[in-house]
Amino acid sequence: MRLIATDLDGTLLDSSSAVTPRTRAALDAARERGIHVVPVTARQPIGLRTLAADAGFDGWALCSNGAYAVHLDDGRMLFAEELPSDTIRALAEALGASIPGLLFASVREGGESFVAQEGYAAIAALSDHKRDPATMGGVPLEQVLAAPSLKLVIRHPELAPVALFDTLRSLGLTGFEATLSGAPFVEVMAEGVTKATGLARLCAHLGIDRADVVAFGDALNDVEMLRWAGHGVAMGHAGPEVADAADEVGGTNDEDGVAQVIERLLG
């Protein structure tokens, strides 16, 4: 084990979004052995900064479901994979024709810029993007769609994300990667971008073989990463598709499931 790749919400963090003392101790023990500990998350750097001190994160992180790699200590960017604006526009037009009332937001500039459509902030909560909805503002849809995006967010005031996701897949569109993270919206990245592709690029940079990677996750956006890693661990509360992608099903996030596995592997 040379690198631990872990999802955050629903995985490393407990149900109160905290890093427990046991989990922090396990991460520290791994780092003391020279093992890289990398958060691999749908969050942006703004959402990592709120817990970096608690988790001891000060190295590389993968944000936007693998689209963006940043070093948390010095701000270095390793890569950023953006969704082209013409693809965004075609997707929004096709999906909007099938489901009226959709709202969109675009994550840009290394996750520091959040461009939300008029009306989006009214249905958003702080926990959704780790941003105060009062700071989101609101612009016409055309401005949301007008520039490349690290991640496009699609939501509806009433429909569940899985309904939007299923409809999007049924349209037969190409040129992007869509997934669900457990948040109240669909997340769309550049074509082929997943947590697995981002992790593969980071491991190539660090000179680490996939066989030496242990990955943890609980949601649909973790499936590719769990399959790619040398040892994938699904959390105990993960659904069947996530569990089937893993080599092992561990405890839940409220049972310190990540810490349990790390402790065992460290002996």
Side-chain angles (χ1 to χ4, degrees), residues 44 64 67-68 79-83 106-111 148-152 188-190:
Q44 308 310 317
S64 283
Y68 182 64
F79 59 81
E81 294 284 350
E82 293 185 316
L83 189 66
S106 176
V107 176
R108 303 174 187 167
E109 299 174 357
S149 177
L150 281 173
K151 185 173 75 172
L152 181 71
V188 183
M189 288 69 59

Side-chain angles (χ1 to χ4, degrees), residues 133-154:
T135 69
M136 291 180 180
V139 300
L141 177 58
E142 180 56 34
Q143 291 186 33
V144 179
L145 310 179
S149 177
L150 281 173
K151 185 173 75 172
L152 181 71
V153 175
I154 309 171

Side-chain angles (χ1 to χ4, degrees), residues 108-125:
R108 303 174 187 167
E109 299 174 357
E112 300 302 326
S113 177
F114 189 84
V115 182
Q117 183 181 355
E118 293 167 332
Y120 187 96
I123 63 169

Side-chain angles (χ1 to χ4, degrees), residues 34 37 77 79 93 110 177 185 189 218 239 245:
V37 177
M77 181 191 75
F79 59 81
E93 290 175 354
E177 197 75 33
F185 41 76
M189 288 69 59
D218 74 305

Side-chain angles (χ1 to χ4, degrees), residues 10-131:
T11 300
L12 187 76
L13 308 180
D14 66 14
S15 57
S16 68
S17 295
V19 180
T20 69
R22 181 178 180 182
T23 292
R24 175 59 190 266
L27 298 180
D28 286 344
R31 285 185 283 249
E32 289 170 4
R33 301 275 191 96
I35 297 167
H36 296 271
V37 177
V38 178
V40 186
T41 178
R43 292 188 184 209
Q44 308 310 317
I46 188 174
L48 279 172
R49 289 193 286 267
T50 61
L51 57 87
D54 292 340
F57 294 145
D58 59 4
W60 288 106
L62 290 167
C63 300
S64 283
N65 294 315
Y68 182 64
V70 63
H71 198 283
L72 296 174
D73 183 46
D74 56 26
R76 279 179 294 155
M77 181 191 75
L78 183 62
F79 59 81
E81 294 284 350
E82 293 185 316
L83 189 66
S85 56
D86 56 348
T87 302
I88 294 172
R89 187 174 290 105
L91 183 161
E93 290 175 354
L95 188 59
S98 297
I99 306 176
L102 292 173
L103 292 167
F104 297 83
S106 176
V107 176
R108 303 174 187 167
E109 299 174 357
E112 300 302 326
S113 177
F114 189 84
V115 182
Q117 183 181 355
E118 293 167 332
Y120 187 96
I123 63 169
L126 175 64
S127 58
D128 293 346
H129 304 283
K130 313 305 179 284
R131 300 173 187 269

Side-chain angles (χ1 to χ4, degrees), residues 40 65-66 193-201 221 224-226 228:
V40 186
N65 294 315
V193 170
T194 67
K195 288 187 176 185
T197 63
L199 187 55
R201 291 185 68 174
N221 64 333
E224 294 87 358
M225 176 174 71
L226 296 180
W228 183 86

